């Protein structure tokens, strides 16, 4: 099985693709398990910060950042 967009991740190994596929078809294993907490702990330790918060998608993360900065409806944001 080959990834659809190999050019976007040239270091992808067959094991990576298999793991990703298994995670997609069994989401309850990582949403109810300890994987998310382990990932957040790893980021906290690696970046030596007080907190690390994961989001389900980039839109949720961006919304949280903008909300924390007090940016709301009617404000202009240039990305």
């Amino acid at each position: 099985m080959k990834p659809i967009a190999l050019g976007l991740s040239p270091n992808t190994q067959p094991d990576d693709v298999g793991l990703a596929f298994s995670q997609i078809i069994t989401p309850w294993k990582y949403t109810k398990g300890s994987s998310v907490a382990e990932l957040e702990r790893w980021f906290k330790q690696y970046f030596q910060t007080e907190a690390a918060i994961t989001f389900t998608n980039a839109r949720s993360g961006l919304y949280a950042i903008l909300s924390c900065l007090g940016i709301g409806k009617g404000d202009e944001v240039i990305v």
Side-chain angles (χ1 to χ4, degrees):
M1 174 190 302
K2 289 187 179 182
I4 294 172
L6 186 59
L8 297 176
S9 57
N11 297 325
T12 301
Q13 300 295 314
D15 291 347
D16 298 332
V17 176
L19 178 60
F21 183 71
S22 71
Q23 294 293 313
I24 289 171
I25 62 172
T26 57
W28 60 88
K29 287 184 179 179
Y30 63 87
T31 57
K32 297 198 187 299
S34 62
S35 300
V36 174
E38 288 177 29
L39 177 66
E40 290 175 345
R41 276 194 299 274
W42 182 88
F43 269 96
K44 283 172 54 175
Q45 181 180 358
Y46 185 82
F47 291 106
Q48 299 176 0
T49 185
E50 289 182 29
I53 302 169
T54 56
F55 294 90
T56 57
N57 56 51
R59 181 180 292 188
S60 297
L62 182 57
Y63 180 78
I65 291 168
L66 295 175
S67 295
C68 288
L69 294 174
I71 297 171
K73 188 173 183 176
D75 293 332
E76 182 177 10
V77 177
I78 299 172
V79 179

